[in-house]
Structure formats: structure tokens, C-alpha cells
Amino acid sequence: MDTEEKKIATVFKAFCDENRIKILKLLVTGEKCACKLNEEINVTQPTMSHHMKILCDSGIVTGRREGKWTYYSISHEGAEFAKEALELLTKVKCTNENKSCCEK
């Protein structure tokens, strides 16, 4: 698989779980500590770690350590890449002929 396609697939994997969507909705208001996210989502700590790894691996979320806590926020670059990827995959390219590929 090409590197760009792999990166796009990783981004969309991050969007395919309702708990990760909830986490993203919490992060749009600003940086949050992992403990606060865990309180709001109400999942076990290992499950939260799994979700955060997927979100961080996608590039949409970044984490920073401060003492024993990790603080997460949405990456502007990652969010921009996700928007561009969605547009790339859904923008219909019209041809002058306006015919189906199967029409002659």
C-alpha cells in the first residue's frame, strides 16, 4: 500500500469509533488531561490509552507529558490533513463528456 493511502487509512480509522468521536468533541474546546477525558468518556484506563494511541498515531491528536499526566489536544496540521484527505476522496471530477464510464 502506498504511504499516502496508508496515512489516510490511519486517519479514517481514528474516526471509526464512537468513543474516539466523543474524545475529539471534547478536545475541540481545548487541551484536556487524560484523567479528564477518562472521566467524561467513562471507559477503563487501558481502553482510553488504546483510543488515545489510535488518535495520536493518526496525527489528529497530539499529547504532551507534564509530570505524571499527559495532556491531549487536536493537531491543526493533522486536522488539515484529514480535511484534505476527505476532499481528495469525495470530490467528483467532471469530464467534458458527462458520461458514465460504461456508456459508449
Side-chain angles (χ1 to χ4, degrees):
M1 185 182 285
D2 192 73
T3 304
E4 182 180 4
E5 283 82 6
K6 189 176 278 191
K7 187 173 178 183
I8 291 171
T10 303
V11 167
F12 284 104
K13 177 182 179 180
F15 292 133
C16 354
D17 182 271
E18 63 186 80
N19 285 320
R20 290 193 289 272
I21 299 298
K22 289 176 187 177
I23 291 166
L24 290 169
K25 288 171 98 177
L26 290 168
L27 292 177
V28 296
T29 61
E31 184 179 71
K32 302 278 185 299
C33 177
C35 61
K36 181 66 174 169
L37 293 171
N38 207 30
E39 285 175 15
E40 296 290 329
I41 303 299
N42 196 26
V43 295
T44 64
Q45 188 278 324
T47 300
M48 179 59 74
S49 292
H50 171 74
H51 288 311
M52 297 317 297
K53 179 176 180 356
I54 291 171
L55 287 166
C56 288
D57 286 351
S58 74
I60 295 169
V61 171
T62 59
R64 68 173 182 86
R65 300 274 305 168
E66 189 173 300
K68 66 178 185 170
W69 301 110
T70 303
Y71 292 84
Y72 294 100
S73 59
I74 292 182
S75 161
H76 297 291
E77 297 85 10
E80 191 61 35
F81 179 83
K83 288 188 275 187
E84 289 171 4
L86 182 60
E87 185 172 341
L88 172 76
L89 296 172
T90 58
K91 187 174 182 180
V92 177
K93 295 175 177 87
C94 296
T95 64
N96 291 336
E97 297 177 9
N98 280 341
K99 289 184 180 181
S100 167
C101 63
C102 297
E103 293 178 15
K104 293 188 179 202

